[in-house]
């Protein structure tokens, strides 16, 4: 047995050591790649990688022969891995190769976009190739199969068949959630609807409300109830509890009947229409509005159209993790170039649907270990049922997008960044000039956001000319936003000198950290722009024109892809 073990170690170690054998310090790819695009490496970085690789590989070999390796990676953290010398050795070699491949990606002598694309591709391959993802190499899954007398294998197969049938990997036990029953439960009513959205008005929780109503525009690539998961973490309920007469756009999940709808349609018949309906219902000459993620981009575009028409119905605007200037789009930039956009325009620019699951999969693979392979291992190899988690239920509840809408969005924002170039973007027959949006704005960005990088969120401060407040929160795209004060989690950063340097890092240098949620800071800001208080309305809507259609959350949000 010892001899077999040493032979396996020698074979694995020998294969690992061959990774650099054909890389020369001149930086060329190995022989045998004729016809492939030439990739060259920075010689000094390549030499350092080679040296470190051989040193660490020798250490792994020596430790693997003399003692148990302690692997510091949560994929290999269980005792089953650490008590199995061969499994621990395989994990250690894998992690060494993974680090080295990522180092090679960083050492490529190329422009930043090419390096990022290579890095992204290698990251996907490295994540997929982990020994934990294969039952034959996963010591923990093997031990569980033995301990359960094969029951975990049977459950894993059952889970796999279930997920194949539903069309996506289960991240939570979706059978435990129902929209309107235990998520999206804040009391309200649908007071208007058209083919694009339903407008929900929420029941006041205070005796008096502010005179200026509040409209939330969530992203149309997701469902609005990320802002209303549970009473204790509902941003919508929080806004209502602060005395704001609150309305929310609930987007329709597009089907074939909406396959030809455009960006202009969403701006004119959804965002602008929602603003006007809220004005009609409340009688308020101006309202406060909030846009979240793509909802913020839609809101900014709508305000640009209205400003071009000489209309300014929004007194203040809040942008949560929103891209307006698309210079810094983070990892999503690896997908965007002229060829990709042309392909999408050819594919669906004249009609069609981008399936919600396709978009959801793209976002999941931005964090493959956390949002893909973690569930593959748990659900299928170990036969586990993922625990109930409302946020992950929402994350799996995907929505479609009309093809023409999506194609316009890709070209005019991510590829050509036209919204911040005065007069370059034409929407609803108007030339957009965001310099006309002179209302006060509150801009929020999440420090670890991988979808809207903090630099991208901050860039709005350089575009919008009105009085501004920028706040940076801890954590990522969703967790940073959904951070209720009562949870007493995370921190946020504020800066009181009113300066907005061109680079977010310079802004951070002058900011101070404040423990806890940013919601209270935003609430205090919004109240300054909300007007006087008046008795809360006793009924939803207004008259027969805007009478309640159905109870919140409405039927649009319940439609599945």
């Amino acid at each position: 047995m010892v001899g077999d073990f040493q032979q396996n170690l020698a074979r694995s170690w020998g294969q690992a050591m061959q990774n650099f054998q054909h890389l020369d310090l001149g930086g060329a790819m190995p022989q045998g790649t004729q016809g492939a695009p030439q990739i060259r490496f920075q010689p000094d970085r390549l030499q350092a990688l080679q040296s470190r690789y051989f040193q660490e590989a020798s250490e792994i070999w020596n430790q693997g022969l003399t003692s148990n390796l302690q692997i510091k990676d949560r994929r290999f953290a269980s005792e089953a891995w650490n008590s199995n010398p061969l499994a621990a050795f395989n994990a250690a070699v894998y992690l060494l190769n993974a680090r080295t491949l990522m180092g090679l990606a960083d050492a490529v002598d190329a422009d930043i976009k090419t390096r990022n694309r290579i890095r992204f591709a290698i990251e996907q391959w490295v994540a997929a190739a982990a020994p934990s993802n294969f039952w034959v190499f996963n010591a923990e899954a093997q031990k569980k199969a033995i301990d359960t007398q094969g029951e975990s294998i049977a459950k894993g197969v059952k889970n796999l068949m279930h997920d194949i049938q539903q069309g996506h990997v289960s991240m939570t036990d979706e059978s435990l959630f129902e929209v309107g029953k235990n998520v999206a439960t804040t009391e309200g009513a649908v007071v208007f609807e058209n083919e694009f959205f339903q407008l929900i008005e929420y029941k006041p929780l205070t005796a008096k409300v502010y005179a200026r109503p509040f409209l939330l525009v969530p992203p149309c690539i997701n469902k609005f109830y990320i802002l209303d998961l549970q009473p204790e973490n509902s941003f919508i309920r929080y806004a209502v509890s602060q005395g704001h007469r609150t309305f929310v756009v609930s987007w329709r999940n597009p089907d074939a009947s909406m396959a030809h709808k455009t960006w202009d349609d969403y701006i004119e018949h959804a965002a602008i229409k929602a603003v006007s309906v809220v004005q009609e219902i409340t009688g308020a000459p101006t309202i406060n509005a909030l846009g979240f993620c793509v909802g913020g981009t839609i809101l900014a575009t709508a305000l640009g159209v209205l400003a071009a028409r000489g209309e300014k119905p929004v007194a203040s605007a809040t942008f949560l993790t929103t891209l307006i200037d698309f210079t810094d789009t983070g990892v999503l930039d690896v997908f965007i170039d002229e060829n990709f956009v042309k392909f999408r325009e050819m594919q669906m620019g004249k009609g069609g649907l981008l399936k919600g699951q396709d978009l959801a999969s793209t976002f999941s693979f931005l964090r493959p270990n956390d949002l893909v392979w973690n569930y593959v291992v748990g659900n299928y190899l170990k036969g586990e049922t993922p625990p109930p988690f409302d946020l992950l239920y929402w994350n799996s509840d995907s929505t479609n997008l009309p093809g023409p809408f999506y194609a316009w969005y890709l070209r005019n924002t991510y590829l050509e960044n036209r919204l911040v170039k005065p007069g370059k973007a034409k929407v609803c027959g108007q030339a957009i000039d965001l310099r006309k949006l002179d209302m006060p704005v509150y801009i929020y960005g999440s420090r670890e956001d991988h979808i809207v990088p903090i630099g991208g969120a901050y860039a709005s401060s350089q575009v919008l000319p009105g009085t501004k407040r920028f706040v940076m929160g801890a954590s990522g795209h969703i967790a940073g936003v959904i951070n209720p004060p009562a949870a007493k989690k995370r921190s946020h950063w504020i800066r009181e000198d009113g300066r907005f340097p061109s680079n977010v890092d310079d802004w951070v240098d002058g900011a101070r950290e404040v423990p806890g949620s940013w919601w209270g800071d935003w609430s205090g800001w919004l109240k300054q722009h909300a007007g006087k208080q008046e008795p809360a309305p006793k009924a939803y809507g207004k008259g027969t024109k805007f009478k309640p259609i159905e109870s919140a959350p409405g039927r649009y949000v319940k439609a599945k892809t």
Side-chain angles (χ1 to χ4, degrees):
M1 291 292 291
V2 173
D4 290 342
F5 170 59
Q6 290 182 336
Q7 288 177 10
N8 285 331
L9 279 179
R11 186 180 302 111
S12 297
W13 181 79
Q15 290 172 350
M17 296 289 281
Q18 290 175 5
N19 280 344
F20 279 171
Q21 188 173 1
H22 298 296
L23 283 178
D24 62 81
L25 296 184
M29 286 292 288
Q31 294 179 357
T33 58
Q34 289 84 357
Q38 281 287 309
I39 295 177
R40 303 187 67 84
F41 299 96
Q42 301 169 38
D44 55 336
R45 300 187 69 173
L46 181 58
Q47 186 173 20
L49 277 170
Q50 287 175 319
S51 176
R52 186 165 64 247
Y53 182 86
F54 285 116
Q55 178 185 347
E56 293 184 19
S58 297
E59 291 172 359
I60 291 172
W61 168 254
N62 292 329
Q63 291 178 32
L65 288 176
T66 59
S67 63
N68 287 340
L69 290 161
Q70 296 299 312
I71 310 299
K72 295 181 180 179
D73 187 293
R74 63 190 181 94
R75 291 171 292 179
F76 314 111
S78 75
E79 181 61 24
W81 284 97
N82 289 310
S83 63
N84 184 324
L86 182 57
F89 180 83
N90 283 337
V93 170
Y94 160 77
L95 290 172
L96 172 60
N97 288 337
R99 289 193 301 272
T100 305
L101 283 169
M102 298 307 291
L104 279 172
D106 292 335
V108 169
D109 189 5
D111 62 89
I112 185 65
K113 184 157 186 166
T114 298
R115 282 203 304 274
N116 286 341
R117 284 181 161 177
I118 292 173
R119 183 178 178 84
F120 181 80
I122 290 176
E123 182 183 25
Q124 299 303 314
W125 184 86
V126 164
S132 52
N133 297 340
F134 303 90
W135 192 92
V136 69
F137 298 124
N138 191 316
E140 186 179 6
Q142 293 168 5
K143 185 177 184 301
K144 187 164 188 177
I146 294 171
D147 292 345
T148 63
Q149 297 182 328
E151 184 179 355
S152 65
I153 296 176
K155 286 185 176 179
V157 172
K158 182 179 179 181
N159 289 343
L160 175 61
M161 299 308 295
H162 172 268
D163 286 356
I164 290 174
Q165 186 174 18
Q166 74 174 3
H168 64 266
V169 176
S170 293
M171 296 181 177
T172 186
D173 188 348
E174 298 178 21
S175 66
L176 299 179
F177 296 96
E178 184 179 348
V179 175
K181 296 292 185 182
N182 54 5
V183 292
T185 59
T186 299
E187 189 174 354
V190 175
V191 293
F192 173 82
E193 69 180 39
N194 62 19
E195 62 179 325
F196 294 92
F197 74 103
Q198 290 186 315
L199 185 68
I200 301 172
E201 180 180 4
Y202 286 92
K203 182 179 179 179
L205 295 174
T206 53
K208 290 187 176 182
V209 297
Y210 289 99
R212 187 168 285 144
F214 177 52
L215 171 67
L216 288 89
V217 183
C220 58
I221 62 174
N222 300 110
K223 295 186 176 180
F224 82 88
Y225 65 88
I226 185 59
L227 298 170
D228 189 30
L229 288 173
Q230 304 293 333
E232 60 270 18
N233 67 0
S234 170
F235 186 84
I236 290 173
R237 185 178 181 85
Y238 178 79
V240 175
S241 73
Q242 298 301 298
H244 299 288
R245 189 174 180 183
T246 302
F247 297 80
V248 173
V249 169
S250 174
W251 298 101
R252 182 181 172 192
N253 193 349
D255 56 21
S257 68
M258 296 184 67
H260 290 85
K261 300 303 182 183
T262 65
W263 183 266
D264 281 22
D265 290 328
Y266 271 67
I267 300 303
E268 188 72 73
H269 305 301
I272 291 177
K273 185 64 177 179
V275 170
S276 67
V277 170
V278 170
Q279 288 179 290
E280 282 192 72
I281 290 174
T282 63
T286 59
I287 71 170
N288 294 317
L290 178 151
F292 178 22
C293 188
V294 179
T297 311
I298 289 174
L299 175 62
T301 307
L303 295 179
V305 171
L306 290 168
R309 294 172 177 171
E311 302 174 35
K312 294 187 176 181
V314 173
S316 79
T318 298
F319 297 101
L320 305 183
T321 60
T322 292
L323 287 173
I324 296 175
D325 181 342
F326 283 72
T327 301
D328 180 5
T329 57
V331 69
L332 289 175
D333 184 60
V334 303
F335 299 106
I336 305 299
D337 60 20
E338 180 67 31
N339 288 334
F340 173 77
V341 173
K342 278 186 175 179
F343 169 73
R344 285 303 201 183
E345 289 172 335
M346 179 181 66
Q347 182 186 41
M348 59 182 65
K350 299 298 183 182
L353 292 176
L354 176 67
K355 291 295 184 180
Q357 191 51 50
D358 294 342
L359 203 57
S361 295
T362 298
F363 286 123
S364 291
F365 275 100
L366 298 181
R367 294 168 55 197
N369 285 325
D370 294 332
L371 297 179
V372 180
W373 300 111
N374 173 51
Y375 298 103
V376 169
V377 172
N379 296 0
Y380 312 146
L381 303 192
K382 296 192 285 186
E384 298 171 345
T385 299
F389 191 5
D390 51 11
L391 190 150
L392 290 178
Y393 172 77
W394 164 85
N395 191 62
S396 300
D397 193 6
S398 58
T399 59
N400 301 324
L401 285 178
F405 168 96
Y406 175 62
W408 190 99
Y409 178 57
L410 283 179
R411 176 166 293 282
N412 288 275
T413 60
Y414 278 95
L415 183 64
E416 298 181 359
N417 197 18
R418 289 188 171 191
L419 289 178
V420 296
K421 300 171 182 176
K424 293 297 184 182
K426 299 293 196 301
V427 182
C428 302
Q430 303 294 330
I432 302 299
D433 185 352
L434 298 183
R435 295 175 300 181
K436 295 180 179 180
L437 305 189
D438 56 0
M439 73 284 290
V441 294
Y442 188 101
I443 304 167
Y444 169 85
S446 291
R447 186 179 58 181
E448 287 88 32
D449 196 333
H450 63 292
I451 296 174
V452 178
I454 186 62
Y458 177 77
S460 297
S461 70
Q462 309 299 299
V463 175
L464 303 173
T467 58
K468 296 176 280 283
R469 185 167 182 80
F470 178 77
V471 174
M472 180 177 74
S475 197
H477 190 68
I478 298 300
V481 172
I482 309 303
N483 184 29
K488 297 181 179 179
K489 289 183 178 180
R490 309 182 186 95
S491 295
H492 63 281
W493 287 259
I494 60 176
R495 182 167 172 164
E496 302 293 1
D497 62 6
R499 295 181 179 179
F500 295 92
S502 60
N503 187 283
V504 68
D505 293 332
D506 295 330
W507 182 92
V508 171
D509 288 341
R512 64 180 176 90
E513 182 177 356
V514 180
S517 173
W518 59 273
W519 289 14
D521 182 84
W522 169 79
S523 177
W525 177 87
L526 186 62
K527 286 177 181 178
Q528 299 173 28
H529 306 286
K532 67 181 190 305
Q533 289 193 310
E534 58 189 29
K538 302 297 184 183
Y540 298 115
K542 182 179 182 181
T544 58
K545 184 177 181 180
F546 299 111
K547 63 182 180 181
I549 297 170
E550 58 184 330
S551 297
R555 67 188 186 281
Y556 279 16
V557 74
K558 298 178 182 180
K560 299 291 184 179
T561 55

